[in-house]
Structure formats: structure tokens, C-alpha cells
């Protein structure tokens, strides 16, 4: 996606237009991986625009890791669509700091909406901190409505799973924190889905990020076809790395 313009609002919203092109699949529809990538990127854009760069947060030993995401696809964007993407903070719940997103086209129609949960971490000790420990700025809590399901815990049943193969974390998978980039999980999921599901556009996509995966880690992928959709889990050397649910 190519950026066009940015706007920062005092009420806690950040807005930017982007052109959909290279982040599409063979049918010129935006990939779930591209949508996941926008969630992390726009959280960073928002804080950068407010002067809270990754380097500054790291120096303060206060960084965010994405914990959960829920995406609702109202009308899947296609190549050459221009999306007006807005993000805003939505308060905190327990250990999670919440952030919402809305992607609209130039006619103002909602195409994609998303909710995310983030955890605050000391990058040196890797200790999880409560949202109240965040000192960089006050955490905002907007009541702006959003047509998107809440984030949820995704759990696969123990029985009835199918083996979907393995996936080794490669150099190009890594982000600036040195672990598997959150957006790349979408492609990992789609590459491992049963063939009859791969061409479909999901109505919803839910993912839990449980443990970091680093260079050389091999994930064992297991799936389950349930009434609510297709479930997947990636098991790494230190336990479950992620779980996901694709609702078709």
C-alpha cells in the first residue's frame, strides 16, 4: 500500500489514505496478511506523529506487543482501491491496551474494521507491565462506534486436529524487534489452509499472538474445521506461538 496523506486529530484519531496494490492475492483482493500489517504499522504511525517514536519508547523501556486482533471484512478491498484508514485508542482492559481501526473507501463506505489488544513490555527484561505503568502519554478511551466483533481467545480442541505441515521462520519474516512480524502470520495461515478455503474471502479473522517466534524456529501447524470456521495453531519450540480462526 502506498501512502497519500496523513492527518492527526486531537481527539486521539490518526488518519491516512493508502492505495491497495502489491498487497493483493492472485484475484487482486487484499490479503489478510496486508490487513494485519496495517494494524501494526498504523499504531506506529499514530505514535510517530505524536513524537513518540519506537526509539523513544525503547529508551523509556516501554514498548507494545500485539496480543490479539479481530478483523471484520465488510467488502474486501481490491487492487487500485484507495482506503481512508483511521485508528484510535480505546482504553484498557485488564493487562491489555486497546486500539481500533476503520478502513473506508473514497465513497465513505466501510470496507474493513478491526479491534486489537496490546501488551506493554519492558524490552530489556521482557516483563509485562500494566497499562497504568505507561508514562509516555495519557491513554485515551474513545467511545466511537465500530462494527467489528470484540477480540477473543481462540482455542482449538485437543481432538480432531489435522496436520498442516511446518513453517520455519526465515530472515525476511523478521521485524525490527527481531521476531516474526505480526503481519506475516496471515500469509502463514493462508498458505497452510485446506485448498478449498484458500480462494475464499473471510467474513472475520481472529488471531492470538501467544509467544514470539525468532529466526530458525520451526512452527508445527495444526488445523481444525469447526462449525464457526477453520481454526489453526502454530506450535513452536517454546509452546504455542499463535492461534487463529477464519470465519467464512
Amino acid at each position: 500500500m502506498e501512502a497519500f496523506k496523513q492527518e492527526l486529530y486531537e481527539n486521539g484519531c490518526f488518519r491516512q489514505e493508502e492505495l491497495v496494490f502489491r498487497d493483493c492475492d492472485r484475484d487482486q483482493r487484499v490479503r489478510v496478511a496486508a490487513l494485519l500489517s496495517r494494524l501494526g504499522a498504523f499504531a506506529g504511525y499514530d505514535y510517530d506523529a505524536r513524537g513518540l517514536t519506537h526509539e523513544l519508547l525503547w529508551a523509556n523501556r516501554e514498548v507494545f506487543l500485539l496480543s490479539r486482533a479481530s478483523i471484520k471484512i465488510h467488502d474486501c478491498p481490491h487492487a487500485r482501491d484507495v482506503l481512508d484508514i483511521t485508528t484510535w485508542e480505546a482504553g484498557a482492559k485488564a493487562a491489555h491496551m486497546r486500539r481500533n481501526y476503520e478502513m473506508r473507501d473514497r465513497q465513505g463506505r466501510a470496507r474493513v474494521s478491526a479491534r486489537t489488544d496490546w501488551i506493554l513490555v519492558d524490552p530489556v527484561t521482557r516483563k509485562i507491565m500494566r497499562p497504568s505503568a505507561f508514562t509516555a502519554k495519557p491513554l485515551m478511551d474513545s467511545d466511537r462506534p465500530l462494527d467489528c466483533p470484540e477480540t477473543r481467545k481462540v482455542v482449538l480442541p485437543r481432538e480432531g486436529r489435522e496436520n498442516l505441515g511446518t513453517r520455519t521462520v526465515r530472515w525476511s519474516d523478521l521485524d525490527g524487534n527481531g521476531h516474526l512480524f505480526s503481519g506475516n502470520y496471515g500469509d502463514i495461515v493462508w498458505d497452510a489452509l485446506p485448498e478449498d478455503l484458500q480462494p475464499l474471502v473471510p467474513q472475520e479473522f481472529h488471531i492470538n499472538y501467544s509467544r514470539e517466534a525468532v529466526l530458525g524456529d520451526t512452527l508445527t501447524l495444526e488445523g481444525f474445521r469447526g462449525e464457526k470456521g477453520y481454526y489453526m495453531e502454530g506450535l513452536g519450540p517454546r509452546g504455542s506461538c499463535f492461534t487463529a480462526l477464519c470465519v467464512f
Side-chain angles (χ1 to χ4, degrees):
M1 294 188 186
E2 177 186 350
F4 282 90
K5 63 180 181 180
Q6 296 181 338
E7 294 180 85
L8 182 65
Y9 296 93
E10 292 300 323
N11 62 2
C13 290
F14 174 85
R15 177 184 176 195
Q16 177 171 303
E17 283 189 351
E18 291 202 342
L19 172 69
V20 178
F21 182 65
R22 64 180 178 86
D23 290 326
C24 293
D25 62 16
R26 68 178 186 183
D27 296 313
Q28 299 191 35
R29 302 173 306 204
V30 69
R31 305 193 325 275
V32 167
L35 297 176
L36 288 174
S37 297
R38 300 274 72 72
L39 304 184
F42 270 71
Y45 296 163
D46 185 359
Y47 270 32
D48 282 351
R50 300 175 195 279
L52 299 176
T53 63
H54 177 77
E55 292 75 16
L56 178 62
L57 293 175
W58 189 283
N60 290 340
R61 295 176 60 172
E62 298 175 339
V63 300
F64 296 99
L65 295 180
L66 186 56
S67 176
R68 294 178 182 176
S70 292
I71 296 175
K72 181 174 181 177
I73 299 178
H74 308 279
D75 182 6
C76 189
H78 286 68
R80 307 303 298 176
D81 285 346
V82 174
L83 296 180
D84 187 332
I85 306 176
T86 304
T87 182
W88 62 95
E89 292 177 337
K93 184 176 181 180
H96 289 124
M97 303 171 79
R98 314 180 85 180
R99 175 177 286 275
N100 296 341
Y101 305 77
E102 194 167 55
M103 306 182 189
R104 293 182 174 269
D105 58 26
R106 284 186 160 173
Q107 288 71 46
R109 298 172 299 195
R111 306 292 292 273
V112 179
S113 54
R115 300 182 190 271
T116 56
D117 294 341
W118 301 75
I119 54 175
L120 184 65
V121 176
D122 182 327
V124 177
T125 66
R126 311 304 286 177
K127 179 183 177 181
I128 297 175
M129 301 181 288
R130 297 194 66 80
S132 57
F134 187 54
T135 62
K137 78 172 192 61
L139 181 64
M140 303 193 75
D141 187 2
S142 172
D143 60 356
R144 176 173 174 157
L146 184 70
D147 183 8
C148 182
E150 296 288 341
T151 56
R152 55 177 292 179
K153 186 175 183 180
V154 179
V155 180
L156 278 70
R158 293 182 178 274
E159 304 296 329
R161 298 187 181 199
E162 55 182 331
N163 180 9
L164 301 174
T166 62
R167 172 63 154 79
T168 300
V169 179
R170 308 180 181 95
W171 178 262
S172 60
D173 291 321
L174 305 180
D175 61 15
N177 292 319
H179 57 230
L180 177 59
F181 176 51
S182 59
N184 289 357
Y185 286 79
D187 282 342
I188 290 174
V189 169
W190 245 257
D191 286 342
L193 278 176
E195 290 185 3
D196 64 309
L197 299 179
Q198 287 176 320
L200 303 182
V201 175
Q203 300 172 19
E204 299 174 11
F205 179 77
H206 304 264
I207 187 167
N208 297 170
Y209 300 95
S210 304
R211 288 180 176 83
E212 297 172 302
V214 298
L215 183 65
D217 282 354
T218 296
L219 304 181
T220 299
L221 304 174
E222 298 179 350
F224 178 81
R225 196 184 294 254
E227 293 183 0
K228 295 183 178 180
Y230 196 86
Y231 295 78
M232 192 178 299
E233 183 169 20
L235 300 164
R238 291 167 292 280
S240 179
C241 179
F242 77 92
T243 52
L245 169 62
C246 308
V247 180
F248 296 102

